[in-house]
Amino acid sequence: QVQLVESGGGLVQAGNSLRLSCAASGLPFSTKSMGWFRQAPGKEREFVAAISWSDGSTYYADSVKGRFTISRDNAKNTVTLQMNSLKPEDTANYYCAATGYSSSYYYLGKSDKYADWGQGTQVTVSS
């Protein structure tokens, strides 16, 4: 049974940082690209960042580029999203997801390319 469990969310003031983690089990983690998506109330789920399983390439939404960093540890089956300089508009429920696609923004940036999802962790940024 595939499990993706997010942690690290919380309430922070604008300008501060948070580090989200996703622990994966029940899947061949080293051959899965991992992504982070977010969904704010009343809005559609949107892509945040992804990291390829094949070459470690990373992809970011324009809104978080330069502020967020995605990384993975295949030995620990974890993927991390370091979020710096947080803004109120970053407030959302953040989801970890896994896909077999290996690369390209075209695939890794789309939620329908991901087969497995976590339950999400809430991030709230106050102004």
Side-chain angles (χ1 to χ4, degrees):
Q1 181 182 358
V2 175
Q3 279 196 314
L4 300 175
V5 180
E6 303 94 337
S7 61
L11 171 63
V12 295
Q13 287 191 327
N16 285 351
S17 301
L18 274 178
R19 186 178 180 87
L20 305 184
S21 293
C22 173
S25 60
L27 77 171
F29 185 79
S30 63
T31 60
K32 295 289 185 181
S33 295
M34 301 299 294
W36 286 96
F37 290 78
R38 66 187 182 187
Q39 187 168 18
K43 295 188 177 182
E44 292 187 355
R45 189 170 295 188
E46 65 174 0
F47 170 74
V48 176
I51 185 165
S52 166
W53 69 262
S54 60
D55 61 4
S57 295
T58 56
Y59 306 86
Y60 297 94
D62 287 343
S63 59
V64 307
K65 204 171 291 183
R67 299 189 297 123
F68 291 10
T69 302
I70 188 171
S71 60
R72 65 187 297 154
D73 185 337
N74 287 345
K76 296 182 178 179
N77 284 11
T78 59
V79 60
T80 298
L81 185 69
Q82 177 67 42
M83 305 187 297
N84 298 330
S85 302
L86 283 161
K87 304 176 181 180
E89 51 263 44
D90 294 319
T91 295
N93 205 6
Y94 282 70
Y95 298 89
C96 169
T99 177
Y101 288 95
S102 63
S103 62
S104 102
Y105 191 97
Y106 178 82
Y107 292 107
L108 300 189
K110 294 186 176 182
S111 60
D112 63 356
K113 303 305 181 187
Y114 291 78
D116 299 298
W117 292 82
Q119 293 300 306
T121 185
Q122 179 66 35
V123 172
T124 303
V125 184
S126 64
S127 57

